[in-house]
Amino acid sequence: MASSPLHIAVIGAGFAGLTAARALKAAGHSVTILEARDRVGGRIHTKAAADGTPVDVGGQWIGPGQDRVLALAEELGVETFPSYETGDNLCLFNGERMRFSGILPPHAPEAVAETEATFQALDALAATVDAERPWTSPNAQELDNQTFEAWIQRTAQGPEARFWMRFLANSVLAADARELSLLHVLFYVKSGGGLASLISMSGGAQERRFTRGAQHLVERLAEDLRPNLRFNCPVTALHQDERGVVVEHAGGSLPADRVVVTLPPTLAGRLRYSPALPGARDHLTQRMPMGACIKIQCVYARPFWRDAGLSGMAITDAGPISLVYDNSPASGTPGVLVAFIEGEEAKLWTNRSAADRRAAVLGALVDLFGPDAAAVREFIEQSWLEEEFSRGGYGGFLVPGAWTTLGPALRQPCGRIHWAGTETASQWAGYMDGAIRSGERVAAEILAIAAAQ
């Protein structure tokens, strides 16, 4: 038990906030968790289809190396099951539909060789990055001064290799290659244990799903913290001095000794601070926009694609979707395909009508899977760009020049204000596991300060 208990306000009831609150409470401190939504989870959100099937409209996959989230699921008795990947994958590229197994479709041998070489070059470069302190990496300034797109154009000459690199930016970071700092892409790859880990199902980040949806794990984590939770309490301002912090929120104000902010940096930058944040921290929040993603679940009576020997995984360059997976429940019924509109396409299509998006997505699925894809029983979409308390997904990314000039401000406390959230993680940044790790880090940070007082 703490000899002089502190009262800590935690802003955000996702994995980061709940993990930090749990550790601080266990150490004898009091915590209050302020959540803007009427639920826990943040960018983790499970909805129910009409027949009760859980569908994750937010983050959903976990895999090897994500030790924190795997351990939490085991501790709390939350069941997972392997993602479905039996059968051939599909790729629609330059109007040609291809069935394939493995990572790459059957392009011309020279195109496959160049694509593999480009992947290897990116992986090798990422291995040189210090994920804990990217700005100290060899040639950090040179890497940070260029976009990922500039590297692609310099490294890959063929259209296939360039397509796969740009697809990587869309599918992993929900951003376009021309927006991303090359150093940030390398950091992200290193943080996730390498390219194979990030893009694979078996053995990779998409290996398993939660039987009752990812929000089930968040709900279980929140059970012992229910007395400490306040919902529908968006925070608007933080005022700190030598005595503590006052948190202003929709329901009034809350005094605290310290505050943990778990919002994505760009949203944290929208709060009012008194005194103002240090310039480096404020400028960091201006240079870390959110990715753009619309996630769509198409529910069918059965997974008809399996009858044709297909895995349900598909990639297309025809838009508006870029990536599809079999997202059926563990029982296999009903059949569910999850499709993603990402990056530039997401920014364009979030402005279109729901009817237009539905028609375009189903048309793309018919082009991939045949006419049965039109017989959708339920169409569930989630535009994370329109989410008031997320404003994008999957996470925030740094633009060129930001890591090397402002990187240290990402985790550096500002007086009594501490920063958590998956964007602040050095391992599995952007993932549930990274969010949990960030909560553990910030709790340890505060406990060390309390012990020294």
Side-chain angles (χ1 to χ4, degrees), residues 96-181:
E96 182 184 1
R97 179 181 178 273
M98 296 172 276
R99 289 179 69 134
F100 68 102
S101 59
I103 299 295
L104 293 173
H107 297 303
E110 61 273 16
V112 171
E114 186 189 23
T115 301
E116 290 176 342
T118 308
F119 271 101
Q120 290 166 4
L122 188 67
D123 235 354
L125 201 54
T128 70
V129 169
D130 182 343
E132 188 69 31
R133 294 157 50 87
W135 56 92
T136 68
S137 303
N139 303 314
Q141 192 80 49
E142 178 186 345
L143 298 172
D144 201 28
N145 284 350
Q146 59 187 297
T147 65
F148 185 35
E149 175 66 24
W151 182 87
I152 292 169
Q153 293 193 30
R154 190 172 64 253
T155 308
Q157 301 307 310
E160 294 87 356
R162 289 185 173 186
F163 165 76
W164 284 100
M165 287 295 105
R166 291 165 182 154
F167 171 76
L168 179 72
N170 274 182
S171 62
V172 175
L173 289 149
D176 287 278
R178 60 190 175 85
E179 300 178 282
L180 295 161
S181 157

Side-chain angles (χ1 to χ4, degrees), residues 331-384:
S331 66
T333 306
V336 182
L337 289 174
V338 59
F340 296 87
I341 305 176
E342 298 160 314
E344 194 69 30
E345 291 277 6
K347 295 171 192 173
L348 293 172
W349 281 90
T350 198
N351 293 319
R352 303 285 292 273
S353 71
D356 283 349
R357 282 193 300 274
R358 178 186 172 109
V361 169
L362 292 182
L365 292 176
V366 167
D367 289 341
L368 287 164
F369 295 98
D372 285 344
V376 66
R377 194 165 76 184
E378 194 171 357
F379 188 92
I380 304 167
E381 67 170 359
Q382 179 73 45
S383 175
W384 285 95

Side-chain angles (χ1 to χ4, degrees), residues 166-248:
R166 291 165 182 154
F167 171 76
L168 179 72
N170 274 182
S171 62
V172 175
L173 289 149
D176 287 278
R178 60 190 175 85
E179 300 178 282
L180 295 161
S181 157
L182 174 59
L183 181 59
H184 185 76
V185 173
L186 299 174
F187 154 77
Y188 205 87
V189 172
K190 180 68 172 287
S191 167
L195 274 176
S197 175
L198 288 181
I199 66 177
S200 298
M201 297 187 78
S202 290
Q206 286 73 234
E207 182 175 275
R208 302 190 71 82
R209 293 166 51 205
F210 294 96
T211 304
R212 294 173 57 184
Q215 198 168 346
H216 181 213
L217 181 59
V218 192
E219 293 280 357
R220 291 283 287 114
L221 178 60
E223 281 182 3
D224 293 338
L225 294 164
R226 290 289 172 182
N228 308 94
L229 272 161
R230 297 187 189 177
F231 292 110
N232 302 306
C233 281
V235 170
T236 56
L238 300 175
H239 309 284
Q240 63 171 321
D241 57 27
E242 67 280 359
R243 294 168 296 176
V245 188
V246 175
V247 182
E248 292 185 9

